[in-house]
Amino acid sequence: MSAPREWIPAGAASIAAAVREGKVSATELVRESFDRAASVKAGADGLNCILSSDRDSSLRAAESHPVGGALAGVPVVLKDNIATTTLTTSCGSKILEGYTSPFNATVATTLQQAGAILVGKANMDEFAMGSSTEFSAYGAARNPIDTSRVPGGSSGGSATAVAAGLAPIALGSETGGSVRQPAAFCGIVGVKPTYGLISRFGLVAFASSLDNIGVFGRTVDDSALAMQVLAGDDTTRDATSAPRPAPTFRTDSRDLTGVVIGKPREYFPESLPAPMREQCDRAIDALKARGATFRDVSLPHTDLALPVYYIIAPAECSANLARFDGVRYGMRIAGDGLRGMYEATRSKGFGAEVTRRILLGTYVLSAGYYDAYYRKAMEVRALISKDFTDVWASGVHALFTPTTASPAFQIGAISDPYEMYLCDLFTVSANLAEVPAMSVPIGRVQGLPVGGQIIAPKFGEADMFRVAYALETELGVEAHR
């Protein structure tokens, strides 16, 4: 029996069911995934979305996978900052080139226990610092919709792998929009959970108070199934893990009667291009058609989110990346004494964007500047979080906004760091407030996919997915492909 090519657009739940029923084997699906990767040129000579893979290892895993799991036989791709014992974990950096973790991340183990098969580690902006996957030490990843354009970042390789059909599900990480923005650029679904819902054990830290592991899926149901598998208490290994009962995110309901959705005015400025506004209006009409009521709301501190984020995130990154010094693991470059070795290793191992953020973070944490910058930023972060709390208290169940202000841009088009940071304009607030948010495809602008963002209260993923299912159903799953 040969695996049917229809598995590529098929949902993860359907694939797993077919495996459980013996209609197709996990081995055949793995072969199909690797064949697909070859046909779309997923490697460095093409999309450059996969940094490491091992066909034989994946086939061996397929032969012994748990047949009864929720993701039985489903090929998955992990971002290359999620630790695995079978494939290297480079974080897109030369300083960890060839490094293999001695342990698996919790999410990697959980996926394995659910029957999923790891088929590759995905390209990314170095240490997850970027919005385009152009800052990878191993070259830029490319958008499969238009290979002259970026797939978004920093989880661009994971988004590309799903959009190109290598796997129906991939994992990324999110610190300020690194799952939702690539999902929007590549025309797929991307989910950032509530902070603490999915264990971060085994995720290489960037900014610990902001980092999340997120999910990419070709459809809302793919992402809901993956989230359902991954969410759970892991407090013995991750102190920030939330001890909560097993969630249920998948639903057959597409009715939004009684659901109040807020439209925050700060996310629809006059500068928002007309084509983007038109697609958002189309999505809003689709949600209204399913019974939702819309209400204009305000998140008054939104304009402060980006500067706050670019103080807090670099500060935490400068502390987290201090461990990469050439002593314990990764690259080591000889120098004049211990200090010389530190300087040589870090100078050659880190790229320009990582170096920029380490320097910025070290500065804002230094004596005389900590109170003026980092402490003040944390105070404003609390105000941003309160904005969301006040909206939820007013009876709003979810928010709808654009995910990005534009579709994917050309590779090399943005050279100014500040302009690149503006790519996170609509996404960073959810990370600062620790609330769940997701991007769902809502149409195309200039032939390129764009996403609509749904934001919910903390641990309100069930309502968020309810809105997403309804939106996808009304617009049509294939309307945005």
Side-chain angles (χ1 to χ4, degrees):
M1 174 184 358
S2 61
R5 291 202 64 84
E6 302 89 79
W7 85 267
I8 295 170
S14 297
I15 295 170
V19 172
R20 289 193 296 268
E21 294 165 10
K23 295 178 179 178
V24 67
S25 72
T27 301
E28 292 168 276
L29 294 172
V30 167
R31 289 192 183 116
E32 184 67 24
S33 177
F34 277 90
D35 289 347
R36 177 69 176 174
S39 70
V40 299
K41 294 186 176 179
D45 61 337
L47 295 175
N48 198 27
C49 62
I50 300 297
L51 291 183
S52 64
S53 62
D54 184 335
R55 186 183 183 109
D56 291 340
S57 176
S58 295
L59 286 171
R60 285 194 298 272
E63 291 171 357
S64 59
H65 77 99
V67 178
L71 293 173
V74 175
V76 297
V77 169
L78 303 186
K79 189 175 180 179
D80 203 34
N81 60 349
I82 297 173
T84 56
T85 58
T86 56
L87 295 175
T88 57
T89 303
S90 74
C91 295
S93 178
K94 289 294 184 183
I95 207 165
L96 283 178
E97 185 170 20
Y99 172 75
T100 301
S101 171
F103 62 89
N104 277 323
T106 294
V107 291
T109 299
T110 303
L111 288 172
Q112 185 180 42
Q113 291 170 344
I117 312 298
L118 176 62
V119 294
K121 300 289 286 291
N123 200 0
M124 58 182 285
D125 285 304
E126 185 180 9
F127 282 101
M129 298 178 199
S131 302
S132 63
T133 318
E134 293 175 284
F135 298 115
S136 168
Y138 305 101
R142 296 181 177 274
N143 192 314
I145 311 299
D146 178 348
T147 55
S148 71
R149 296 177 183 270
V150 303
S154 62
S155 307
S158 295
T160 295
V162 171
L166 276 64
I169 290 171
L171 300 193
S173 68
E174 251 234 27
T175 308
S178 289
V179 168
R180 287 165 288 156
Q181 186 245 30
F185 280 3
C186 292
I188 59 174
V189 176
V191 185
K192 182 205 87 71
T194 303
Y195 183 82
L197 184 70
I198 294 178
S199 173
R200 294 183 304 130
F201 177 78
L203 173 69
V204 179
F206 164 11
S208 299
S209 74
L210 298 165
D211 291 343
N212 300 264
I213 289 179
V215 171
F216 292 100
R218 287 184 63 83
T219 65
V220 171
D221 194 60
D222 286 343
S223 57
L225 176 59
M227 285 279 293
Q228 211 162 275
V229 167
L230 294 169
D233 181 5
D234 193 36
T235 48
T236 58
R237 288 178 293 188
D238 175 8
T240 65
S241 177
R244 298 180 66 84
T248 300
F249 301 137
R250 302 180 72 207
T251 178
D252 293 327
S253 173
R254 303 296 185 266
D255 180 19
L256 296 181
T257 301
V259 174
V260 179
I261 301 177
K263 181 183 176 184
R265 62 179 60 97
E266 291 81 6
Y267 286 72
F268 292 87
E270 291 184 6
S271 59
L272 185 68
M276 293 293 297
R277 189 180 299 274
E278 290 169 5
Q279 294 301 323
C280 287
D281 288 343
R282 175 172 168 262
I284 289 170
D285 288 342
L287 291 169
K288 288 179 178 177
R290 288 282 160 171
T293 300
F294 270 78
R295 181 187 301 172
D296 288 334
V297 298
S298 177
L299 300 168
H301 294 94
T302 297
D303 63 333
L304 299 176
L306 206 63
V308 164
Y309 174 84
Y310 278 100
I311 290 174
I312 294 174
E316 295 183 5
C317 111
S318 73
N320 279 323
L321 268 63
R323 70 193 68 179
F324 301 106
D325 53 15
V327 175
R328 287 156 291 189
Y329 38 71
M331 174 186 286
R332 176 183 295 184
I333 305 296
D336 184 13
L338 184 62
R339 182 185 181 90
M341 186 267 287
Y342 287 161
E343 292 177 351
T345 299
R346 290 169 67 83
S347 294
K348 291 184 180 296
F350 290 140
E353 182 60 28
V354 172
T355 300
R356 181 183 295 116
R357 297 200 196 192
I358 290 173
L359 291 173
L360 176 60
T362 302
Y363 176 79
V364 301
L365 289 177
S366 60
Y369 295 102
Y370 179 91
D371 288 340
Y373 291 101
Y374 187 76
R375 187 185 299 277
K376 181 64 68 177
M378 292 299 287
E379 291 172 354
V380 179
R381 179 181 184 175
L383 296 177
I384 293 168
S385 184
K386 185 177 182 300
D387 286 347
F388 284 94
T389 301
D390 291 345
V391 168
W392 311 136
S394 72
V396 170
H397 299 101
L399 301 174
F400 178 82
T401 80
T403 308
T404 63
S406 68
F409 49 88
Q410 294 277 341
I411 293 174
I414 299 180
S415 57
D416 176 34
Y418 176 71
E419 189 178 351
M420 186 69 77
Y421 297 165
L422 289 174
C423 292
D424 301 329
L425 189 62
F426 293 154
T427 55
V428 295
S429 292
N431 296 81
L432 292 167
E434 300 182 358
V435 296
M438 66 187 294
S439 180
V440 179
I442 58 173
R444 292 200 173 212
V445 170
Q446 300 172 345
L448 299 167
V450 293
Q453 179 174 220
I454 304 165
I455 307 173
K458 288 183 179 179
F459 302 107
E461 279 84 355
D463 282 342
M464 182 176 73
F465 274 108
R466 182 182 172 190
V467 173
Y469 272 112
L471 179 61
E472 181 182 67
T473 301
E474 189 67 22
L475 293 179
V477 174
E478 297 302 325
H480 43 259
R481 299 289 187 230

